Amino acid sequence: MSDNVTGNIKTQLPVPPNWPEDIAYLNDLTYSAAVTSEQRTALGRTTADLESHARITAEQIATTQIRARIRVISDPKHPAHNQRGLFAASDLAPDSFILLYQGHVHTNSLSDTNSKSDYDLSLDRLLDLSVDACLSGNESRFCNDYRGITERPNAEFRDCFIQVPSEKRAGGSKWERRVGIFVLSAGNAGLRKKGIREGEEVCVSYGKQYWESRKVVAGFRKDAEMLRVATAALEL
């Protein structure tokens, strides 16, 4: 990968409409004190299996809010009724980048993990790192699971690289790994060739493991609504 800088790699986006007041809005990841410098350095290493991952430019990050917006969901039949969802702010082509998943990077040790979070996403299993958007993040934290909303997901989480400042690299930057949300590919049969239309909700698959764990948590919390939603999701 080249270290040539294109544009301002320190993108600062404004807090978007419908953002909750009790959640800190992030323009980049924050890091737990438990994350070591070796782990941080490893996120910038490129191996053969990572070469194919998309490299996201500063311009793409700066135009995030042209592609995606937050809405409060008013449909009483929606599983996230009166909560928030992520919607396409413009037509999004198949395979295209939508936005980064921002949050707080932490190790997977019990002492460094928020057991009450519903927004924890694996960043690198080998490095034992995850990114949690429970208390801070960006628009991506409102991307809902497709179950109960639509027949199938129209987007997915993918590993990618962005440029970050680095005094040790020629040009003053390096490529570092992140997780982003991307529109699904058109597919071999071209069934998803329309991508995501403006106004459509962006939905991913959280995976059945997520809903199974939610069902367990609901039992501990004695949360009947969480249990109902998790049970319904597993039945789809």
Side-chain angles (χ1 to χ4, degrees):
M1 291 183 179
S2 168
D3 282 326
N4 292 331
V5 180
T6 56
N8 178 15
I9 59 179
K10 297 289 286 183
T11 302
Q12 295 295 315
L13 297 172
V15 176
N18 295 317
W19 185 260
E21 294 182 357
D22 59 337
I23 303 297
Y25 185 74
L26 297 180
N27 277 284
D28 199 0
L29 300 176
T30 59
Y31 292 84
S32 163
V35 177
T36 66
S37 58
E38 289 78 11
Q39 287 171 312
R40 288 287 306 270
T41 298
L43 287 173
R45 292 188 186 131
T46 307
T47 56
D49 60 319
L50 298 176
E51 280 289 349
S52 62
H53 291 341
R55 287 177 285 177
I56 306 303
T57 66
E59 288 80 5
Q60 286 175 289
I61 297 171
T63 54
T64 290
Q65 294 176 353
I66 295 176
R67 292 186 298 276
R69 64 168 61 101
I70 303 165
R71 286 185 187 171
V72 176
I73 296 167
S74 58
D75 182 358
K77 296 181 180 179
H78 195 291
H81 178 226
N82 284 335
Q83 300 177 51
R84 293 169 174 83
L86 184 69
F87 291 79
S90 58
D91 291 342
L92 305 174
D95 263 329
S96 63
F97 168 75
I98 304 176
L99 77 172
L100 296 171
Y101 192 83
Q102 306 285 27
H104 186 64
V105 178
H106 63 91
T107 66
N108 291 332
S109 65
L110 290 176
S111 61
D112 202 34
T113 300
N114 181 356
S115 62
K116 297 181 179 180
S117 175
D118 296 322
Y119 299 88
D120 213 7
L121 186 69
S122 176
L123 179 60
D124 190 300
R125 287 183 174 84
L126 293 178
L127 293 176
D128 207 31
L129 296 176
S130 296
V131 55
D132 187 2
C134 180
L135 302 177
S136 59
N138 68 346
E139 294 92 336
S140 62
R141 74 189 300 279
F142 299 110
C143 188
N144 289 312
D145 183 90
Y146 78 96
R147 293 170 176 84
I149 300 173
T150 186
E151 186 176 347
R152 57 179 64 88
N154 54 20
E156 63 183 352
F157 294 109
R158 294 183 193 173
D159 288 336
C160 58
F161 286 89
I162 70 165
Q163 285 180 311
V164 298
S166 174
E167 295 178 356
K168 297 180 180 180
R169 298 289 182 91
S173 74
K174 66 178 181 178
W175 291 97
E176 191 171 271
R177 194 131 37 93
R178 293 289 190 273
V179 176
I181 297 178
F182 291 73
V183 182
L184 285 175
S185 66
N188 293 333
L191 297 178
R192 298 187 296 267
K193 63 182 180 181
K194 292 182 179 179
I196 304 176
R197 297 297 194 189
E198 180 179 353
E200 289 182 4
E201 185 169 1
V202 178
C203 296
V204 296
S205 174
Y206 291 174
K208 287 203 169 183
Q209 185 177 353
Y210 170 86
W211 292 109
E212 287 167 353
S213 65
R214 289 279 287 179
K215 193 172 179 179
V216 172
V217 170
F220 280 117
R221 295 182 186 175
K222 301 187 185 310
D223 189 325
E225 179 60 18
M226 181 189 292
L227 180 61
R228 182 192 68 78
V229 172
T231 301
L234 287 168
E235 292 174 350
L236 293 174

